[in-house]
Structure formats: structure tokens, C-alpha cells
């Protein structure tokens, strides 16, 4: 996802929203399950395994060369059934995304395809696009139309419009994955809210509600401290970039969300074992979880142990310990 300069401030912001999207997927992968349920009408419980495919793909070009492309998220959800999905995040509505979706989805299908006799079997993943900004002309779906000789079919791609979700929608539907992007629902009103104390208090109240909700989920052990801290960190990053020119908004949201998080506190919590006790016990439990995930992939996908470990991006340090438990 190529980000552009800030719409209101002219500040060059690189790819902060893409970074947030990827961080949430990598560090809080279970949160994407509820988003998949919302977008594709699935009924996953949230306990399934989420396994990501490599996000770098090399596309063959007409001149014989290769062009490296990076997808935002290609993954499988493994439970009672296996579903394959591809999610892309884009700041502004852009129909050119269809070209990239086509490239990514067909390459993912080819990477995971198999030859059976004289037939190549491929599965196109379920694709969706998250637009952080949208207009009244932004469609509910985008389409790719395949045609071969006299046959054709149309592949519908759902569009997730961040600006259509109210805070109540996000909380009631448990769409915690989208909470860091909530500030986009104020996108066209940032200058107004930054200058008006009463409206600024309204925005502040929304973030107070978010914090109460996250704290309540954590208290009832429905959300880990690690996930909560990651959501907070990513929320601050998005607000800090989108509201770069609006000091009052940034200051109020930062105060509500708990202030500065040193050394990416979410990862520090996980690393130091503050949630689960002794490091040795946590390490053993982590390895056992990896073993179970790999066994599940070997059984459901027909992969070898090496293929499963490659797919899960198991480090060389862990491979020997995991292999000894298979």
C-alpha cells in the first residue's frame, strides 16, 4: 500500500497505516478472525489457527524477468474447515487495486497449487479490500471478470469502508482489529474538532469508551494484555500520523490511551513473561503450540514437516526442538 502525503497538513508520512495493518496481523493475528466473519459471513469461533503465507511473491514478466510484490495479508484459517483469504489495506479508494489483487491472488493460488495427474489445481483465496477513506461513490464491492473463450465469470471482492463504522459497531461486533483506524471516521472533521473544545471532548469520550472496553475485556480474560497494549500502541501511531497537524487531538488521545509506551510495551510484556510466569514454562508451552499447529497443517494440507515449518516461518533456533516433538 503506497501512502501519500497527509491530506490536510502536507506532511509526508510514508507508510504508517500499512505498518499498523501488518503489525496487527503479525502480533494479534487472532483478531483478524472476527473481521473475516464480518466481511465474508463466516462463523469461525475465534479459536482457529491463523497461518500466514509468505507475503513476498515473484511475478514473471513478459521480458523473462521477475518482479517482487508484497501482499498485505495472505493467510489460512484452520479449524473445522480451512479457508484461504487475502486482505489488502488502502488509504484512499483506488480501482487500480484490482490489478494488484489479481496479481496477488493468482500468485498465491499458484504458490499453493498442486498438480494431480494432468490437472493443475489452484484455489483463489477470498479477497477483500479495506479502504480507510471512502466517498459516497465508493462501491460496496469491486469485481474481476474472467473470460475464457465463450465462458466467463465475475469474482466479487468485498470492500470494507472504515468510515462507515460507528464506534458502537466496532465494539458490539468485536471488530478490535479496526479500532486503531477509528480516527479515520473523523477524517474530514479534524480541524473542526481540534479547534472546538466541546467537540474535542466528544472525540475524547470515544477514546475513553475504547479504553474502558479494552480494560473490561482484559479483566474478564477475553483479551490478553499483549493484544490490548498492541492495539493501544497502534492507535497512537495512526492518530499521531493522521492528526499530525492537530496538537489538541493528539494530546487528548495520547492522554486517554495511557501515554507513552516504552520499548513497545506489548512485546516487552510477552518477552519478559509477565503474563504467564516462569520463562521456561512459557517456552515449553510455546513449542508445544507450534508442534500442534504444524501437525494440523501436515494433516489438513498434506504438507511435510519442513513445508509446514517454512509456511509458519519457524526460526532455525526452534526447528530442532520442534522436530524432536513431532
Amino acid at each position: 500500500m503506497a501512502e501519500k502525503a497527509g491530506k490536510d497538513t502536507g506532511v509526508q508520512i510514508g507508510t504508517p497505516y500499512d505498518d499498523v495493518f501488518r503489525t496487527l496481523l503479525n502480533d494479534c493475528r487472532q483478531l483478524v478472525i472476527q473481521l473475516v466473519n464480518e466481511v465474508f459471513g463466516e462463523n469461525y469461533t475465534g479459536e482457529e489457527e491463523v497461518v500466514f503465507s509468505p507475503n513476498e511473491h515473484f511475478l514473471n514478466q513478459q521480458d523473462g524477468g521477475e518482479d517482487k510484490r508484497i501482499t498485505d495479508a495472505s493467510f489460512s484459517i484452520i479449524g473445522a474447515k480451512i479457508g484461504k483469504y487475502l486482505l489488502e489495506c488502502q488509504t484512499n479508494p483506488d480501482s487500480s487495486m484490482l490489478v494488484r489483487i489479481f496479481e496477488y491472488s493468482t500468485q498465491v493460488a499458484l504458490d499453493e497449487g498442486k498438480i494431480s495427474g494432468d490437472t493443475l489445481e489452484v484455489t483463489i483465496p477470498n479477497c477483500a479490500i479495506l479502504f480507510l477513506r471512502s466517498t459516497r461513490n465508493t462501491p460496496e464491492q469491486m469485481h474481476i471478470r474472467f473470460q475464457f473463450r465463450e465462458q466467463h465469470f465475475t469474482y466479487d471482492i468485498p470492500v470494507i469502508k472504515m468510515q462507515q463504522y460507528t464506534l458502537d459497531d466496532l465494539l458490539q461486533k468485536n471488530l478490535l482489529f479496526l479500532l486503531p483506524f477509528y480516527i479515520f471516521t473523523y477524517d474530514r472533521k479534524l480541524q473542526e474538532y481540534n479547534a472546538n473544545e466541546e467537540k474535542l471532548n466528544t472525540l475524547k469520550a470515544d477514546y475513553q469508551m475504547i479504553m474502558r472496553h479494552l480494560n473490561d475485556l482484559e479483566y474478564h480474560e477475553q483479551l490478553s494484555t499483549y493484544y490490548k497494549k498492541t492495539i493501544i500502541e497502534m492507535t497512537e501511531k495512526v492518530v499521531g500520523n493522521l492528526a499530525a497537524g492537530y496538537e489538541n487531538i493528539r494530546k487528548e488521545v495520547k492522554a486517554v490511551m495511557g501515554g507513552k509506551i516504552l520499548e513497545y510495551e506489548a512485546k516487552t510484556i510477552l518477552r519478559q513473561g509477565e503474563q504467564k510466569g516462569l520463562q521456561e514454562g512459557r517456552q515449553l508451552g510455546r513449542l508445544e503450540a507450534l508442534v500442534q499447529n504444524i501437525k494440523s497443517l501436515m494433516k489438513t494440507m498434506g504438507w511435510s514437516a519442513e513445508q509446514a515449518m517454512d509456511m509458519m516461518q519457524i526460526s532455525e533456533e526452534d526447528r530442532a526442538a520442534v522436530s524432536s516433538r513431532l
Side-chain angles (χ1 to χ4, degrees):
M1 176 180 72
E3 302 293 348
K4 298 180 181 180
K7 182 179 67 172
D8 299 305
T9 64
V11 177
Q12 187 68 27
I13 55 178
T15 60
Y17 313 128
D18 198 18
D19 292 344
V20 168
F21 187 78
R22 291 176 187 275
T23 298
L24 290 169
L25 287 167
N26 288 325
D27 293 358
C28 306
R29 62 180 58 190
Q30 294 304 118
L31 297 185
V32 79
I33 295 177
Q34 193 58 41
L35 183 59
V36 166
N37 284 344
E38 165 77 2
V39 175
F40 296 103
E42 305 283 15
N43 57 357
Y44 293 114
T45 65
E47 300 299 321
E48 294 82 5
E49 297 296 333
V50 179
V51 179
F52 284 88
S53 305
N55 69 343
E56 291 186 357
H57 300 278
F58 292 86
L59 308 179
N60 294 325
Q61 302 300 304
Q62 291 181 346
D63 61 4
E66 290 185 330
D67 184 18
K68 184 172 77 171
R69 300 293 176 87
I70 298 178
T71 67
D72 279 357
S74 171
F75 58 92
S76 297
I77 298 180
I78 302 174
K81 69 172 186 176
I82 298 177
K84 295 184 178 182
Y85 303 92
L86 173 65
L87 295 182
E88 291 292 326
C89 180
Q90 185 83 357
T91 302
N92 300 298
D94 181 2
S95 294
S96 69
M97 277 296 297
L98 289 172
V99 176
R100 297 196 290 277
I101 287 286
F102 175 76
E103 291 177 338
Y104 298 157
S105 60
T106 52
Q107 192 63 49
V108 168
L110 187 59
D111 289 346
E112 299 181 3
K114 61 181 180 180
I115 295 178
S116 178
D118 57 0
T119 303
L120 171 63
E121 298 180 6
V122 295
T123 301
I124 300 292
N126 296 288
C127 302
I129 303 173
L130 169 62
F131 284 135
L132 300 179
R133 291 189 177 111
S134 58
T135 69
R136 65 181 63 183
N137 295 321
T138 303
E140 298 297 323
Q141 292 183 331
M142 304 180 82
H143 312 280
I144 296 177
R145 191 168 188 265
F146 294 84
Q147 184 163 340
F148 179 71
R149 295 179 180 170
E150 300 303 319
Q151 301 178 7
H152 65 82
F153 68 93
T154 300
Y155 183 34
D156 299 326
I157 301 169
V159 171
I160 311 165
K161 302 177 188 179
M162 186 65 223
Q163 293 178 319
Q164 283 190 342
Y165 284 96
T166 67
L167 182 55
D168 284 343
D169 290 335
L170 298 179
L171 300 185
Q172 290 175 10
K173 295 181 177 183
N174 202 32
L175 296 174
L176 305 183
F177 187 93
L178 297 180
L179 282 179
F181 303 110
Y182 177 66
I183 191 66
F184 273 92
T185 64
Y186 285 93
D187 184 35
R188 300 181 182 91
K189 306 173 184 177
L190 290 176
Q191 185 173 359
E192 178 183 356
Y193 275 69
N194 189 70
N196 185 300
E197 183 175 358
E198 182 177 351
K199 292 186 175 182
L200 183 61
N201 286 335
T202 299
L203 184 148
K204 180 179 178 180
D206 279 357
Y207 280 92
Q208 289 172 332
M209 184 181 297
I210 289 173
M211 281 303 301
R212 285 195 298 269
H213 187 76
L214 294 178
N215 288 334
D216 187 60
L217 291 176
E218 179 190 30
Y219 178 78
H220 290 95
E221 298 184 348
Q222 297 172 340
L223 182 71
S224 70
T225 301
Y226 174 66
Y227 275 26
K228 187 189 83 168
K229 290 295 187 180
T230 304
I231 292 171
I232 291 171
E233 169 94 354
M234 296 302 103
T235 297
E236 289 189 347
K237 184 169 184 177
V238 173
V239 172
N241 280 276
L242 189 64
Y246 305 111
E247 181 179 359
N248 291 333
I249 290 176
R250 288 188 291 106
K251 182 175 67 175
E252 292 296 342
V253 173
K254 188 179 183 69
V256 170
M257 300 302 283
K260 186 176 182 180
I261 300 177
L262 298 174
E263 294 185 36
Y264 190 5
E265 188 177 352
K267 290 183 177 177
T268 302
I269 289 172
L270 185 66
R271 186 172 60 247
Q272 294 180 346
E274 294 176 5
Q275 294 179 347
K276 297 295 182 181
L278 296 176
Q279 183 175 2
E280 292 82 359
R282 192 186 74 246
Q283 174 70 4
L284 179 60
R286 186 178 68 85
L287 288 174
E288 290 302 325
L290 289 176
V291 169
Q292 292 304 314
N293 291 346
I294 290 170
K295 286 182 176 179
S296 177
L297 283 174
M298 292 170 66
K299 179 179 179 180
T300 57
M301 303 295 289
W303 292 340
S304 67
E306 285 297 321
Q307 287 174 318
M309 285 191 282
D310 288 343
M311 181 62 66
M312 292 185 63
Q313 299 180 343
I314 304 298
S315 68
E316 291 298 327
E317 180 181 0
D318 286 337
R319 285 187 180 235
V322 168
S323 296
S324 68
R325 289 170 168 78
L326 290 174

